[in-house]
Amino acid sequence: LGRWTELAEFVGHIEPIIDVTPFVHPYVDRAVGSAKLAEGDDDAAVAMLEAARGGFELLRYRFEAARTAELLAGVPGVPNAGELLTEARQTYEALGAAPSLARVDQRRRGTS
């Protein structure tokens, strides 16, 4: 909830053990990407969010990959934002994730 400095400190503390548990890495990448986005560093945000999305896909965490695609779609200037939202929507629909599906539908209609 906007506590990006604390997040950076936390990541610094856990960085030595991140690779020991591979399922943690994409969550950390997404958190760091979100922090970079909040700081206005869109390029770094995209790099971290894409890494997170790829990690979730490798782990076959479809819902988490969709959440990350949705977040990526919100980065200013991302050229494939529409495709990312469509991908997220399809995953949410397949998984029966109604609240997430409704959120994406609102975004696609241009209402938050």
Side-chain angles (χ1 to χ4, degrees):
L1 301 177
R3 297 165 52 184
W4 305 117
T5 303
E6 291 175 32
L7 173 66
E9 291 172 11
F10 174 73
V11 169
H13 289 299
I14 67 167
E15 217 158 15
I17 63 166
I18 289 174
D19 291 327
V20 174
T21 53
F23 64 88
V24 173
H25 214 291
Y27 288 101
V28 172
D29 288 344
R30 184 171 62 201
V32 171
S34 296
K36 295 296 181 188
L37 184 57
E39 294 169 358
D41 189 348
D42 295 345
D43 292 337
V46 167
M48 295 306 296
L49 293 172
E50 286 178 344
R53 185 170 159 236
F56 287 131
E57 288 173 351
L58 281 174
L59 293 168
R60 297 186 180 165
Y61 290 6
R62 294 174 58 204
F63 181 77
E64 298 301 337
R67 286 185 61 211
T68 308
E70 185 182 354
L71 189 56
L72 255 171
V75 177
V78 170
N80 60 336
E83 293 171 23
L84 290 165
L85 283 178
T86 297
E87 174 188 311
R89 186 189 190 290
Q90 290 171 343
T91 300
Y92 294 150
E93 187 172 37
L95 296 174
S100 299
L101 183 61
R103 184 180 58 247
V104 168
D105 285 344
Q106 283 182 330
R107 283 185 68 183
R108 291 176 80 190
R109 286 192 304 269
T111 58
S112 303

